[in-house]
Amino acid sequence: SAGVDKVFTRIRRTPPGNEFWDNTSWVVNDSTWVICTATSPWIYPATGLWDDGRIYDINSRAIDFATNLSGWTTATFRWDSTLPRAQLLAPESSWISSLPTISGTAYDWPSLYPNKSGLKKVEVAIQRLSDNQWYNPAAGFVELSTYWITAANYTAEPSTVTWYLTGASTPTWVNGTRYFVKCRAFDMSDNESAHSGQNFTYDASPPTVVITKPNQAAHNILPTISGTANDTAGATAGSV
């Protein structure tokens, strides 16, 4: 064979419009094939070409030393540099008496142009603060570094979603124990959201109340009624 002489590429962006890169600027001429560096592998420097929320078509073709021109191949992608959003809804306070489900919302924030990539997944991590161990559904609180549990996967662009983590994916909450729960979201471009988290103490024990006055079967002076109240969440002092 004669061997490959050159490789050409053509870059188109949409929407809005239908523009092609001519090696210096975006134009409407679809004959803007540019020469790549080397042949196998070939490269074309593309730093600064991509706009958030646009769709790009990349065509490539080659010519050999006998001037035979190949057909072209095409790759299409969306450029999305905007971070998605994730918000933890439950647990929602620093004291929790019941937590059958961890939940929240997620949203792929709009890009500058209309073609955002869409949500990919939401993950949750659960830490026990007494020993800083992270929860692994298969083994319990044994992980020394953050262990992310997948709460939801997405294959098509949803609007704002509500996600849930429940059942075997959550631990058995222990009375009087402090925990930290956080979540994050990824979009199809693998942009990672800021984390949303909450510290809380699990307290499933009701408080105790004692009446100290009245303290006998009959009274002729009782200016106040009084007593004591106490709440303990295991070994952790609570509040009434």
Side-chain angles (χ1 to χ4, degrees):
S1 62
V4 176
D5 182 16
K6 298 182 183 68
V7 175
F8 305 91
T9 192
R10 180 173 63 181
I11 306 169
R12 181 179 72 160
R13 70 179 186 184
T14 60
N18 188 29
E19 299 173 314
F20 297 83
W21 180 248
D22 73 352
N23 212 33
T24 57
S25 62
W26 293 98
V27 298
V28 295
N29 182 2
D30 64 0
S31 297
T32 53
W33 292 88
V34 294
I35 299 175
C36 302
T37 300
T39 58
S40 185
W42 58 266
I43 61 171
Y44 183 79
T47 301
L49 289 185
W50 319 123
D51 289 335
D52 189 25
R54 287 191 190 264
I55 295 175
Y56 292 88
D57 296 313
I58 311 297
N59 307 128
S60 66
R61 63 184 180 182
I63 191 169
D64 65 18
F65 286 102
T67 69
N68 296 305
L69 185 63
S70 73
W72 67 64
T73 59
T74 301
T76 300
F77 67 95
R78 300 181 184 197
W79 184 263
D80 181 355
S81 57
T82 300
L83 304 184
R85 305 291 197 270
Q87 179 65 47
L88 188 68
L89 298 181
E92 77 288 354
S93 65
S94 57
W95 292 89
I96 298 291
S97 62
S98 177
L99 190 62
T101 301
I102 296 171
S103 64
T105 60
Y107 179 55
D108 189 24
W109 200 257
S111 300
L112 176 64
Y113 292 97
N115 293 283
K116 60 184 180 178
S117 60
L119 281 177
K120 180 178 182 180
K121 63 181 177 178
V122 175
E123 295 180 329
V124 174
I126 306 166
Q127 185 181 35
R128 184 173 59 196
L129 294 179
S130 58
D131 57 8
N132 294 323
Q133 303 276 57
W134 295 86
Y135 182 68
N136 179 338
F141 284 97
V142 297
E143 304 293 341
L144 298 179
S145 58
T146 305
Y147 188 89
W148 292 101
I149 305 164
T150 300
N153 285 299
Y154 307 96
T155 57
E157 166 58 13
S159 57
T160 301
V161 297
T162 301
W163 52 264
Y164 304 92
L165 191 72
T166 188
S169 295
T170 61
T172 298
W173 307 110
V174 176
N175 200 49
T177 302
R178 296 190 71 236
Y179 299 94
F180 172 61
V181 175
K182 64 179 178 178
C183 67
R184 66 180 181 181
F186 288 88
D187 65 18
M188 294 293 183
S189 295
D190 285 327
N191 295 307
E192 180 182 351
S193 72
H195 299 180
S196 174
Q198 176 69 53
N199 290 316
F200 71 94
T201 299
Y202 187 73
D203 179 5
S205 300
T208 58
V209 181
V210 175
I211 298 173
T212 55
K213 288 291 182 73
N215 61 347
Q216 58 192 47
H219 283 272
N220 65 358
I221 299 175
L222 189 62
T224 59
I225 298 172
S226 62
T228 60
N230 187 53
D231 181 39
T232 56
T236 305
S239 59
V240 179

